[in-house]
Amino acid sequence: MTDKILTVRMDAHPSDSHTLSRYLATGGYEALTKALYDMSREDIIEEVKASNMRGRGGAGFPTGVKWGFLAPTEPRYLVVNCDESEPGTFNDRQLTERDPHQLLEGIIISSYALGVNHAFVYIRGEYPKAARRLQRAVDEAYEAGYLGADVRGSGFSLDVTLHLGGGAYICGEETALLNSLEGRRGEPRLKPPFPAVEGLYAKPTIVNNVESISNIPWITTNGGAKYAAIGPERSAGTKMLSISGHIAKPGNYEIVMGMTWRELIFDIGGGIPDGKALKAWIPGGASAPWFVPDEHLDTIVSIDDVAANGSMIGAGAVVVMDETTNVVAAAHRIVRFFAHESCGQCTPCREGTSWLEAVLKRILDGNGRPEDIDLMLDISDNISPGLKWPPAMTTICPLGPSTVSPITSITRWFRPELESMIARSEVAIG
Amino acid sequence: MMSVISHWSLENQERAQSILASYPVKRSALMPLLYVASLEHEYVSLDAMREVAELIDITPVQVQSVATFYTMFRREKVGDYLVSVCTSISCHLNGADDVLAAVEEATGVASGETAEDGSVSVEHVECIGACGGAPAVQINYELIEGVTPDKAEALIKWLVDTRPAVLLADEMQQLFGGRRSFDWGPSEFEGAMRPVPAFGPYGSAGGSALEGR
């Protein structure tokens, strides 16, 4: 059984996996030739549907189904989301820096299948190296006739434009990204209309994540059924997981889902450094509710199993915290992030995130009040009524509800620690 | 339309032109043009915003509304070296606050401030996607991973003493970094010359003269 798709080339050829010559020498652009000459556009879309690949950007919506929603009017656009900014996530950076042609071939095949003649890659401004590597790949591809007018004599034409962001997490949300790409403030749009109907310049647009698109050449070559056969039924294929925090072997791991969290953290990640005990981990980036060892070590690493346990795999960021972690300080860091990144459109998020940050800060500073726990839960309930999972929303996008995750996590799993921190404040204030 | 930037360097005028040509709707060029304009003007000045507005046929206040949304468009001059210390969750868990303190100490500049001589600006930033190599620092957006307080101090001393014209991530990583998020692959000879992301089409990547070094 195949256990790696995306990282094979970079592992085998660390010195030049990003170059066109190495890409060609390892079977690169053969999938494109197959797509252009042996497959119809519909065939490709059918293979992607058959792959059951769920979008790798966080929401987990099946890529082929999304493609099926694309309205037939022209022009249409493909926008690749490389605005990877979820705290804990760094796998798109590796895929873009280390194998940019794999991403680019995915873009070309996808554009052909979707009837797109101009694709954009939105790269976060803090990733200049990824942007340089991908731009070099784009330049090489134009030169070799994989981009531009009449791609490899097929009659299909495609231009690719790279676009750097300006340091705003919210632009990873697809409609905020589209606004940003249009030269506007990165504020999410109300949906519907969905981008597939009215996206970039109000034209039909598919927005896909880097990892999703990087899988397209393999799916084109090997067929959707083969991809669907990898891993658990509703978590098909491989997934890049970024593991960081208090972990012996941090890094990106391309895994087949279906193992337990115990195996992931202790076998693959090498466990907790310095013989310390595991206190908690975030299974899917800063937006996700935390897991704790007593409850979740034997939970399965899959999109559905994590969701059934009240959290998410998201974009695949696992952040591990050892026994020495001050969970209130950790929650404050995450809440501070969302308060900083709130776009300000929706009142519950704009006001709520800042208040949550302020209350956590005063608890950390030794000025906590006994009513602060209820106050934080009340603010959280205004942002995401009912405090359930998946979160209810009072806002246009999920950023606000994401802020609630660390709050419900520490109040649920570490309430005594939070209470004793507040109690110490009481004594200090006297 | 291009006459509004006729006082820009020829190179930057050409960059602006090719950026405008790469979008079907010219307003999309706004952010890239702000990067080019900030090279031309050292930062996103009022003049820069007026010029960009004219290039894409919108009003200056519309440009300002966009520029102020994003943290990377600097509306004041920052130091020659912008030191960004990540203090988000994974870096925080691995001691980023101590790295930030060491940077502030070594520069004499508090986070959010610029040295009086204009050499260095310091800021703490949210996640920069280097969590596997935490704690991470960027100098003019070029990444160094696995930075300790001692290494951070040495890095600042190196910056101030040698005042490198081009910042190469690989070189800085080798000198002052530690554990990385992943194997970066081979060395690169392009790097940052200014506190603007070093990306060729925006005119901000330098160091090709170092090719083969």
Side-chain angles (χ1 to χ4, degrees), chain B residues 176-204:
Chain B
F176 309 107
R179 188 161 73 178
R180 298 179 297 181
S181 293
F182 52 83
D183 177 357
W184 285 358
S187 293
E188 278 205 349
F189 301 100
E190 263 185 311
M193 297 186 291
R194 301 286 304 281
V196 193
F199 179 56
Y202 299 178
S204 39

Short mmCIF file of all heavy atoms in Angstrom, two decimals, chain B residues 176-204:
data_model
loop_
_atom_site.label_atom_id
_atom_site.label_comp_id
_atom_site.label_asym_id
_atom_site.label_seq_id
_atom_site.Cartn_x
_atom_site.Cartn_y
_atom_site.Cartn_z
N PHE B 176 23.15 31.38 13.38
CA PHE B 176 22.40 31.70 14.61
C PHE B 176 21.20 30.80 14.87
O PHE B 176 20.49 30.99 15.84
CB PHE B 176 21.92 33.16 14.55
CG PHE B 176 23.02 34.13 14.22
CD1 PHE B 176 23.08 34.73 12.97
CD2 PHE B 176 24.01 34.41 15.15
CE1 PHE B 176 24.12 35.59 12.64
CE2 PHE B 176 25.05 35.27 14.83
CZ PHE B 176 25.10 35.87 13.58
N GLY B 177 20.97 29.84 14.00
CA GLY B 177 19.78 29.01 14.15
C GLY B 177 20.09 27.66 14.76
O GLY B 177 21.25 27.31 15.02
N GLY B 178 19.05 26.91 14.96
CA GLY B 178 19.17 25.55 15.49
C GLY B 178 18.24 24.63 14.74
O GLY B 178 18.23 24.59 13.51
N ARG B 179 17.39 23.94 15.50
CA ARG B 179 16.46 22.99 14.90
C ARG B 179 15.49 23.69 13.93
O ARG B 179 15.00 24.77 14.20
CB ARG B 179 15.66 22.37 16.05
CG ARG B 179 14.79 21.24 15.65
CD ARG B 179 14.42 20.42 16.85
NE ARG B 179 13.45 21.12 17.70
CZ ARG B 179 12.94 20.59 18.81
NH1 ARG B 179 13.33 19.41 19.23
NH2 ARG B 179 12.07 21.26 19.53
N ARG B 180 15.27 23.04 12.78
CA ARG B 180 14.37 23.62 11.77
C ARG B 180 13.07 22.82 11.69
O ARG B 180 13.02 21.67 12.08
CB ARG B 180 15.05 23.59 10.40
CG ARG B 180 16.32 24.41 10.32
CD ARG B 180 16.95 24.32 8.95
NE ARG B 180 17.35 22.95 8.63
CZ ARG B 180 17.95 22.60 7.50
NH1 ARG B 180 18.19 23.50 6.58
NH2 ARG B 180 18.28 21.36 7.29
N SER B 181 12.06 23.46 11.10
CA SER B 181 10.77 22.78 10.92
C SER B 181 10.89 21.59 9.99
O SER B 181 10.21 20.58 10.13
CB SER B 181 9.74 23.74 10.31
OG SER B 181 9.42 24.77 11.20
N PHE B 182 11.76 21.74 8.98
CA PHE B 182 12.01 20.67 8.03
C PHE B 182 13.29 21.00 7.30
O PHE B 182 13.77 22.14 7.37
CB PHE B 182 10.85 20.49 7.03
CG PHE B 182 10.43 21.77 6.33
CD1 PHE B 182 11.09 22.24 5.21
CD2 PHE B 182 9.36 22.51 6.82
CE1 PHE B 182 10.70 23.41 4.58
CE2 PHE B 182 8.97 23.69 6.19
CZ PHE B 182 9.64 24.14 5.07
N ASP B 183 13.83 20.00 6.61
CA ASP B 183 15.04 20.22 5.82
C ASP B 183 14.70 21.23 4.72
O ASP B 183 13.82 21.01 3.91
CB ASP B 183 15.47 18.88 5.21
CG ASP B 183 16.69 19.03 4.30
OD1 ASP B 183 17.15 20.17 4.10
OD2 ASP B 183 17.15 18.00 3.79
N TRP B 184 15.39 22.33 4.71
CA TRP B 184 15.09 23.39 3.76
C TRP B 184 15.54 23.08 2.34
O TRP B 184 15.22 23.81 1.42
CB TRP B 184 15.80 24.69 4.16
CG TRP B 184 15.20 25.40 5.32
CD1 TRP B 184 14.09 25.03 6.00
CD2 TRP B 184 15.67 26.61 5.91
NE1 TRP B 184 13.85 25.94 7.00
CE2 TRP B 184 14.80 26.91 6.97
CE3 TRP B 184 16.75 27.46 5.65
CZ2 TRP B 184 14.97 28.04 7.77
CZ3 TRP B 184 16.90 28.56 6.45
CH2 TRP B 184 16.03 28.85 7.50
N GLY B 185 16.35 22.07 2.19
CA GLY B 185 16.94 21.86 0.86
C GLY B 185 18.16 22.74 0.70
O GLY B 185 18.68 23.29 1.67
N PRO B 186 18.62 22.89 -0.55
CA PRO B 186 19.89 23.57 -0.79
C PRO B 186 19.85 25.07 -0.47
O PRO B 186 18.79 25.66 -0.36
CB PRO B 186 20.10 23.37 -2.29
CG PRO B 186 18.73 23.22 -2.84
CD PRO B 186 17.96 22.50 -1.79
N SER B 187 21.04 25.64 -0.36
CA SER B 187 21.17 27.06 -0.09
C SER B 187 20.59 27.89 -1.22
O SER B 187 20.59 27.48 -2.38
CB SER B 187 22.63 27.43 0.08
OG SER B 187 23.13 26.84 1.23
N GLU B 188 20.12 29.06 -0.86
CA GLU B 188 19.61 30.00 -1.84
C GLU B 188 20.49 31.22 -1.82
O GLU B 188 21.04 31.58 -0.80
CB GLU B 188 18.21 30.45 -1.44
CG GLU B 188 17.13 29.51 -1.82
CD GLU B 188 15.81 30.25 -1.96
OE1 GLU B 188 15.74 31.42 -1.57
OE2 GLU B 188 14.88 29.63 -2.48
N PHE B 189 20.59 31.88 -2.96
CA PHE B 189 21.43 33.06 -3.02
C PHE B 189 20.62 34.33 -3.23
O PHE B 189 21.14 35.35 -3.63
CB PHE B 189 22.51 32.87 -4.08
CG PHE B 189 23.35 31.68 -3.77
CD1 PHE B 189 23.14 30.46 -4.41
CD2 PHE B 189 24.31 31.75 -2.78
CE1 PHE B 189 23.89 29.34 -4.07
CE2 PHE B 189 25.07 30.64 -2.43
CZ PHE B 189 24.86 29.42 -3.09
N GLU B 190 19.32 34.23 -2.97
CA GLU B 190 18.50 35.43 -2.98
C GLU B 190 18.08 35.72 -1.56
O GLU B 190 17.77 34.81 -0.79
CB GLU B 190 17.23 35.20 -3.82
CG GLU B 190 17.36 35.69 -5.24
CD GLU B 190 16.04 35.55 -5.97
OE1 GLU B 190 15.45 34.45 -5.91
OE2 GLU B 190 15.61 36.51 -6.58
N GLY B 191 18.07 36.97 -1.21
CA GLY B 191 17.67 37.32 0.13
C GLY B 191 17.13 38.72 0.18
O GLY B 191 16.93 39.36 -0.85
N ALA B 192 16.90 39.18 1.40
CA ALA B 192 16.25 40.48 1.57
C ALA B 192 17.26 41.60 1.70
O ALA B 192 18.29 41.46 2.34
CB ALA B 192 15.37 40.45 2.81
N MET B 193 16.95 42.71 1.05
CA MET B 193 17.78 43.90 1.18
C MET B 193 17.09 44.96 2.02
O MET B 193 17.71 45.89 2.49
CB MET B 193 18.09 44.46 -0.21
CG MET B 193 18.91 43.50 -1.06
SD MET B 193 19.42 44.22 -2.62
CE MET B 193 17.88 44.35 -3.46
N ARG B 194 15.79 44.84 2.16
CA ARG B 194 14.98 45.85 2.83
C ARG B 194 13.90 45.15 3.66
O ARG B 194 13.64 43.97 3.45
CB ARG B 194 14.33 46.75 1.77
CG ARG B 194 15.32 47.47 0.86
CD ARG B 194 16.01 48.60 1.60
NE ARG B 194 15.00 49.49 2.13
CZ ARG B 194 14.35 50.41 1.40
NH1 ARG B 194 14.64 50.57 0.13
NH2 ARG B 194 13.42 51.15 1.95
N PRO B 195 13.25 45.88 4.56
CA PRO B 195 12.17 45.27 5.34
C PRO B 195 10.88 45.10 4.53
O PRO B 195 9.82 45.57 4.91
CB PRO B 195 11.95 46.24 6.51
CG PRO B 195 12.86 47.37 6.31
CD PRO B 195 13.55 47.25 5.00
N VAL B 196 11.01 44.46 3.38
CA VAL B 196 9.89 44.17 2.49
C VAL B 196 10.13 42.73 2.04
O VAL B 196 11.27 42.35 1.84
CB VAL B 196 9.93 45.08 1.25
CG1 VAL B 196 8.63 45.02 0.48
CG2 VAL B 196 10.24 46.51 1.61
N PRO B 197 9.09 41.90 1.91
CA PRO B 197 9.36 40.51 1.53
C PRO B 197 10.17 40.42 0.24
O PRO B 197 9.87 41.09 -0.74
CB PRO B 197 7.96 39.90 1.35
CG PRO B 197 6.97 40.95 1.65
CD PRO B 197 7.67 42.18 2.11
N ALA B 198 11.22 39.60 0.27
CA ALA B 198 12.16 39.53 -0.84
C ALA B 198 11.61 38.63 -1.94
O ALA B 198 11.83 37.43 -1.96
CB ALA B 198 13.51 39.01 -0.36
N PHE B 199 10.87 39.26 -2.83
CA PHE B 199 10.20 38.53 -3.91
C PHE B 199 10.46 39.29 -5.20
O PHE B 199 10.05 40.45 -5.33
CB PHE B 199 8.70 38.44 -3.60
CG PHE B 199 7.88 37.74 -4.64
CD1 PHE B 199 8.18 36.45 -5.03
CD2 PHE B 199 6.79 38.37 -5.22
CE1 PHE B 199 7.41 35.79 -5.98
CE2 PHE B 199 6.01 37.72 -6.18
CZ PHE B 199 6.33 36.42 -6.55
N GLY B 200 11.16 38.65 -6.14
CA GLY B 200 11.65 39.31 -7.34
C GLY B 200 10.66 40.20 -8.08
O GLY B 200 10.96 41.36 -8.35
N PRO B 201 9.48 39.70 -8.41
CA PRO B 201 8.54 40.52 -9.18
C PRO B 201 8.16 41.83 -8.49
O PRO B 201 7.74 42.78 -9.14
CB PRO B 201 7.32 39.62 -9.33
CG PRO B 201 7.88 38.24 -9.27
CD PRO B 201 9.00 38.32 -8.28
N TYR B 202 8.30 41.87 -7.15
CA TYR B 202 8.00 43.11 -6.44
C TYR B 202 9.27 43.95 -6.27
O TYR B 202 9.27 44.96 -5.58
CB TYR B 202 7.37 42.84 -5.06
CG TYR B 202 6.05 42.10 -5.10
CD1 TYR B 202 5.39 41.75 -3.93
CD2 TYR B 202 5.45 41.74 -6.31
CE1 TYR B 202 4.18 41.07 -3.95
CE2 TYR B 202 4.24 41.06 -6.33
CZ TYR B 202 3.62 40.71 -5.15
OH TYR B 202 2.42 40.04 -5.18
N GLY B 203 10.35 43.46 -6.86
CA GLY B 203 11.58 44.24 -6.86
C GLY B 203 12.36 44.19 -5.58
O GLY B 203 13.22 45.02 -5.34
N SER B 204 12.09 43.20 -4.76
CA SER B 204 12.68 43.26 -3.44
C SER B 204 13.60 42.10 -3.09
O SER B 204 13.97 41.93 -1.95
CB SER B 204 11.57 43.37 -2.40
OG SER B 204 10.48 42.56 -2.75
#
